[in-house]
Every structure is written in C-alpha cells, then in structure tokens.
Amino acid sequence: MAVTAKLLRLYRVDQQIRGLRSRLDAAERYLRSQDHQLSEIDKSLKTLKAQAQKLEAEAANDENEMKAAEQRIAMLRERMNKAQTSKEHSAILTEINTLKADKGLVETRALESMTKVDEIREQVAQKNAEHAERSKVRGVALTDRDARAAEIKDRLAELEGERKAALAEVPGDALASYNELMDLGIEDIMAAVEEIDRKRMEYNCGACYTMLPAEHVNVVLRRVEYTQCPNCKAILYMADEMREAIQNKGKKASKSA
Ligand SMILES: [Zn+2]
C-alpha cells in the first residue's frame, strides 16, 4: 500500500472518531454551561442573602434605639409631671420633643430597611425558582451526556483498535507530518487533489483550493512519496479513478505519438 493510502486509512478512522465524538463533545459543553449558570445563580443568592442579613441587623438596631427612646420619653414624662418650675417643665418638654423627632427618623429608616428586605426576599424566591428550573435542565443534560457516552462506547473502542492498526502501518516521517497537523488542530489533515483541467494539468488542493504546482501533482500520481499542499499543508491524495484516468490518458497520448 502506498504511503498516502496508509495515511488516508488513518485519516478516515480519525474522521470517524471525531464525528462520533462530536455529539458527545456537544453534550459535554452543554452540561458545563448548565453548571456555569447554576453557579452564577448560587453567587447571586449568596449576595442577596448577605444583603438581607445586613439590613435585618440594621433594622433590629433601629428597633432597639426606638425602644430606648420610648423608655427615656416615659421617664421624662414622669419627671415633667413632678416639675417644680415652668422653666424645668419646658426644658424637659423640649428634650421629649427632640427625642420624639429623632425616634421618628429612626422609625422611617427601619421601615425603609424592612421594605428593602421584602424586596430582596422576593428576588431570593425568584432566584430559587430559577435554580430549580436550571437544575432540571442540568439533570436532562447529564442524562443526555451519559447516554451519548454509553451509545458510542463500543464503536469508539472498535475505532480505536482500527486506529492502532492503521497507525502501525504509517512510516515515521509521514506520521510526524500527520501528527504535526493534528496537534495544530487542523481539521483537513488530508485533502483530495481536485481536477480543474486535465489537458492543462491544472489541479487544486481540495482543502484550500490553491492551484497545485505540477511537481506536487506528480508526487501524488507516483504514490511513492507523500506531499503536502504548499499553502495549507494538507497531505494530498488522489482518488483512484482520477489517477487511473490520468494515467490512461498518458498511455493513449504516448500510443498516438
Ligand atoms: Zn491546501
């Protein structure tokens, strides 16, 4: 078997492996995105709960402040009732009024805090509902991922066996070129030579459509060596029918000459 044929056999197996894995990879990505969204919801919940706690603590402090003010007002009222002079009476009254005004401010602030806490609680409820919904979606995504993994398990093992066998046949230098392209993440590691004009010997790289120099086409035709597209570096191969047609044409040409 020619070196390009050996490479092509490996490439076909790799394409099948990639095709087989693509649905699993998509399922993996989808599952990861659900996990990410869940963790974002958790983060928001944590922030909201901390905000609510802080506001509740502030409201509790205000409540205590109000109680203290009430006690002080009650105490002042008693003293006012026992006041000896009108001057003393009016001084206590002024203090009571000041305390009442302060207490009013604290009360307003406490009410505002509690209103905000209610708003936050609503948001928490919303986020909890989102979390429950997202958890359901994640559950489905997980089942799907596992199903896809199970689905391809046997076929994948089979293909990996085929890959090992194909790999063993490929000569070292060709394999190095192949692996180099694979490591670069290039999808078209191999490309078919495409015919543009047989008479003029014009051929394209099937991956990047660059016109191939005649020397490259000749290497592919001879099949002893392998060659790469000068532009995209894809390892070139030629369909058997095309090669036969070109070679027959050559024979005819030499007969008629
Ligand atoms: Zn190319």
Side-chain angles (χ1 to χ4, degrees):
M1 214 197 297
V3 61
T4 39
K6 289 173 180 171
L7 279 167
L8 197 56
R9 187 174 151 216
L10 175 64
Y11 181 57
R12 298 269 191 245
V13 175
D14 279 345
Q15 275 182 316
Q16 285 184 68
I17 291 175
R18 198 171 62 216
L20 203 60
R21 282 206 59 101
S22 74
R23 286 184 71 230
L24 176 60
D25 290 342
E28 292 272 11
R29 277 196 300 278
Y30 187 64
L31 180 60
R32 275 201 300 277
S33 107
Q34 300 312 313
D35 281 336
H36 175 71
Q37 290 182 56
L38 273 174
S39 83
E40 288 298 309
I41 295 172
D42 283 337
K43 262 191 235 165
S44 309
L45 272 170
K46 213 177 150 190
T47 310
L48 286 170
K49 282 175 183 165
Q51 279 172 357
Q53 249 176 5
K54 186 170 168 270
L55 286 166
E56 275 166 343
E58 280 169 8
N61 285 340
D62 287 342
E63 200 87 17
N64 287 337
E65 216 175 299
M66 273 148 56
K67 269 184 203 148
E70 271 163 29
Q71 280 169 3
R72 173 113 184 110
I73 289 166
M75 191 266 285
L76 285 171
R77 278 212 176 101
E78 266 177 47
R79 260 174 57 193
M80 194 169 64
N81 289 338
K82 292 174 197 157
Q84 302 295 316
T85 63
S86 70
K87 200 183 161 194
E88 197 187 339
H89 184 276
S90 84
I92 296 171
L93 188 60
T94 306
E95 197 184 342
I96 288 176
N97 285 338
T98 309
L99 276 169
K100 272 188 184 169
D102 289 350
K103 190 186 150 227
L105 291 177
V106 174
E107 207 162 12
T108 309
R109 195 172 65 198
L111 272 174
E112 277 169 9
S113 295
M114 289 322 289
T115 309
K116 271 190 211 155
V117 167
D118 284 344
E119 281 168 16
I120 291 172
R121 281 196 185 129
E122 260 176 50
Q123 289 174 38
V124 167
Q126 252 176 37
K127 286 281 165 195
N128 277 332
E130 266 180 51
H131 195 282
E133 275 303 304
R134 190 54 60 192
S135 294
K136 270 189 221 159
V137 176
R138 190 207 179 262
V140 174
L142 180 68
T143 310
D144 191 40
R145 195 275 314 267
D146 290 348
R148 287 184 189 188
E151 210 173 84
I152 66 169
K153 197 173 141 269
D154 294 344
R155 180 70 186 128
L156 197 61
E158 225 173 83
L159 283 170
E160 267 151 16
E162 283 176 35
R163 182 173 208 277
K164 223 173 149 184
L167 199 66
E169 296 287 318
V170 180
D173 58 336
L175 188 59
S177 300
Y178 186 91
N179 284 339
E180 199 182 318
L181 294 170
M182 195 176 217
D183 291 344
L184 288 171
I186 291 170
E187 273 198 25
D188 293 311
I189 297 179
M190 295 195 73
V193 171
E194 290 178 348
E195 194 168 61
I196 307 300
D197 189 322
R198 191 173 297 170
K199 267 189 195 157
R200 290 204 253 161
M201 281 290 278
E202 283 177 2
Y203 294 91
N204 262 2
C205 163
C208 72
Y209 309 112
T210 297
M211 178 92 77
L212 296 167
E215 61 194 88
H216 285 71
V217 179
N218 285 329
V219 172
V220 178
L221 274 171
R222 283 201 306 270
R223 303 163 77 199
V224 183
E225 301 275 332
Y226 70 98
T227 188
Q228 289 172 263
C229 166
N231 179 50
C232 74
K233 306 293 176 229
I235 299 169
L236 299 166
Y237 67 91
M238 189 178 275
D240 290 337
E241 309 84 66
M242 194 192 289
R243 177 182 300 106
E244 278 157 27
I246 294 168
Q247 283 164 348
N248 285 339
K249 175 204 134 202
K251 277 175 204 158
K252 270 181 208 159
S254 57
K255 264 183 203 166
S256 62

